[in-house]
Amino acid sequence: MNNEHAPYPGLQQAWIIFAIFLAASIGIGFLIGALNSVFGWENVSPGNFIGYNVSMAFVIWFAWMNSRKQSEKVLHWNRIPPVFYPLLVILTLSFAIFLDPLTNALPIPEFVEELLKMLAKKDVWTFLMVGITGPILEEVLFRGIILEGFLKRYSPVKAIFWSAFLFGLFHLNPWQFIPGFLIGLLMGYIYYRTRSLIPVVIIHMVNNCFSYLIMYIYGEDVYSLVDLFPERENYYFFFMAASVLFVLSTYMLIIILNKNRSSWTSESKKNSS
């Protein structure tokens, strides 16, 4: 396949996108830090909000402009059945609880603790970044542009795996890489079957808001749900109940995806034409 006319991006181009994001984040981070020092701003949350969103917007613009060279329709927002919305909420919450023992088993370095505390600040800027703009921008980039391009070049398994890997790596620390990679696999599969950003944005928002609210309500030092249960037996029951919900919601998800696959596929082709 001629790379000049191949769907964008491929793996090599995705790594370039990732490098551009790092460079933009570092550059804007230094600028925001310098402004904080010069003007003595005590609240760094507005600066973090602006820096993150500007970095993401620039990277999305770069990737989107390159994607437009191969396809007029880049981002897909196909409609989903109403029953999908509550199912996605249940699936996401149960999946987050199901992953809790895994993340709890990983040692948390001090720099990750500081990062998590920064992402749990009790102000509107942090909530907007974590719960609203972050999920939208990241899904547009990782599923809407990167995975969409991968699916046009590679097998679905390879495309979903590498988009999830890059999404996990995007968080820049091992403690968030594993859950990021796993939920990236889930969102990648759902995007592949629906060709819609709506369900993956919902999943991302619910997951982030759930984590934010836990730390907002119970404090910045709560890194695992097990810390919320004085009696360990209650946590085990809670975990088992969530695991059952996760299995059931996954089963229902597969049924709905199979039932509506033809309508989503036809709508995706219509929107791409």
Side-chain angles (χ1 to χ4, degrees):
M1 180 181 289
N2 190 335
N3 287 332
E4 183 179 349
H5 301 289
Y8 181 93
L11 265 173
Q12 183 177 359
Q13 294 160 325
W15 285 109
I16 293 174
I17 293 173
F18 186 79
I20 291 174
F21 169 76
L22 287 180
S25 298
I26 292 171
I28 294 176
F30 274 120
L31 176 61
I32 296 296
L35 291 174
N36 282 338
S37 299
V38 170
F39 294 102
W41 295 331
E42 294 184 3
N43 185 5
V44 298
S45 294
N48 292 335
F49 176 83
I50 294 171
Y52 167 81
N53 285 281
V54 170
S55 300
M56 285 296 297
F58 173 76
V59 175
I60 289 172
W61 171 82
F62 172 84
W64 182 75
M65 290 299 293
N66 282 280
S67 297
R68 291 275 293 178
K69 295 177 182 178
Q70 278 80 29
S71 174
E72 292 185 4
K73 179 72 175 180
V74 178
L75 304 177
H76 301 282
W77 301 89
N78 300 331
R79 291 171 296 179
I80 60 176
V83 69
F84 222 52
Y85 291 96
L87 179 61
L88 288 173
V89 173
I90 295 172
L91 175 69
T92 306
L93 294 177
S94 60
F95 188 56
I97 298 168
F98 181 75
L99 291 181
D100 184 68
L102 176 61
T103 56
N104 188 40
L106 298 173
I108 306 177
E110 186 174 341
F111 80 94
V112 177
E113 288 188 6
E114 294 303 316
L115 172 65
L116 294 176
K117 288 179 180 179
M118 181 190 74
L119 295 177
K121 288 186 176 297
K122 299 180 178 181
D123 56 57
V124 66
W125 298 103
T126 303
F127 173 74
L128 288 174
M129 180 176 69
V130 173
I132 307 298
T133 63
I136 294 173
L137 294 174
E138 290 173 21
E139 290 312 306
V140 166
L141 178 62
F142 284 98
R143 254 60 63 178
I145 297 177
I146 292 179
L147 178 55
E148 180 66 26
F150 283 3
L151 287 169
K152 294 175 180 176
R153 293 178 66 131
Y154 312 121
S155 69
V157 172
K158 182 177 180 179
I160 293 170
F161 173 86
W162 279 109
S163 65
F165 183 87
L166 288 168
F167 179 66
L169 200 63
F170 168 81
H171 293 85
L172 301 178
N173 67 81
W175 195 80
Q176 289 180 296
F177 169 81
I178 294 178
F181 171 69
L182 294 175
I183 200 170
L185 292 176
L186 174 67
M187 293 189 293
Y189 174 73
I190 292 175
Y191 179 82
Y192 161 63
R193 296 297 301 273
T194 64
R195 276 309 205 277
S196 175
L197 284 168
I198 293 175
V200 293
V201 167
I202 292 173
I203 290 174
H204 204 147
M205 282 185 171
V206 172
N207 181 75
N208 283 18
C209 288
F210 176 63
S211 300
Y212 179 82
L213 288 175
I214 290 295
M215 299 185 76
Y216 184 93
I217 295 172
Y218 295 101
E220 299 172 348
D221 296 325
V222 175
Y223 302 115
S224 171
L225 294 174
V226 70
D227 298 328
L228 306 181
F229 294 86
E231 299 293 334
R232 189 61 61 94
E233 291 78 10
N234 293 336
Y235 171 75
Y236 293 147
F237 177 80
F238 178 70
F239 173 77
M240 291 302 298
S243 300
V244 171
L245 274 178
F246 173 61
V247 172
L248 292 175
S249 57
T250 301
Y251 176 72
M252 290 297 299
L253 173 73
I254 294 173
I255 291 177
I256 295 175
L257 289 175
N258 288 333
K259 183 178 180 180
N260 294 272
R261 185 173 190 178
S262 59
S263 62
W264 280 322
T265 302
S266 61
E267 184 170 353
S268 180
K269 290 180 179 178
K270 179 180 67 176
N271 290 338
S272 298
S273 61

